[in-house]
Amino acid sequence: GGRIVLKAAGDITLGTTSTVAVDGQKGGEITVQATSGTLLADGSLSARGAEGNGGRIQLLGNQVGLINAAQVDASGATGGGTVLVGGDYQGSNPNVQNAQHTFVGSRASIKADATDNGSGGKIVVWANDTTKFYGGASARGGNQSGDGGFVEVSGKDTLVFKGSVDTRASNGKTGLLLL
């Protein structure tokens, strides 16, 4: 596991070949926050749990973009983790910065799957103004047992949704997508 925090008052760019990983028996925590700037994330961010639950990944800033083939993965063997892009559930968590604009490109992927047993995790893509979502998100239940997870893709003012979301479960109930 472990914990990595990358924080700047201005802009943050994670390039194509970047890797930020806190994988372990259980997933760790990653927070990348461009407090008053733009966060552009490409490359790989992972908080996977090999034997336990996936971890927690927060990608925050005034503007947040997952570009090119960015891969964000908080999957775990016994349950999916949490991925927050641009804010938390309906932008209502005062402890998590809300973005004004959020973008997820067509080749970008976000995962919070349970890989073996357990339920899928939680993914939120939020913006106080505009969210444009063209990529993929997955919060699947485990192959052996567990329900699908929860995915929210919302823009308080404007939402463009042309991506795909998977909250299925092989041996459980399908999860929820909130737009």
Side-chain angles (χ1 to χ4, degrees), residues 50-152:
E51 296 176 17
N53 287 349
R56 181 177 180 88
I57 300 173
Q58 297 183 101
L59 304 174
L60 309 171
N62 190 45
Q63 298 181 111
V64 178
L66 299 183
I67 58 174
N68 300 319
Q71 297 178 7
V72 181
D73 192 349
S75 297
T78 60
T82 298
V83 178
L84 305 179
V85 179
D88 203 345
Y89 176 74
Q90 296 185 339
S92 62
N93 184 341
N95 298 316
V96 176
Q97 178 183 358
N98 290 335
Q100 292 302 308
H101 300 93
T102 304
F103 173 82
V104 177
S106 62
R107 295 186 301 141
S109 68
I110 305 168
K111 294 181 181 179
D113 297 329
T115 57
D116 298 331
N117 297 297
S119 295
K122 171 184 167 183
I123 297 171
V124 175
V125 179
W126 171 267
N128 282 346
D129 190 337
T130 302
T131 293
K132 295 182 178 180
F133 185 89
Y134 300 93
S138 174
R140 295 191 57 159
N143 292 330
Q144 297 173 18
S145 67
D147 297 331
F150 173 81
V151 178
E152 175 185 6

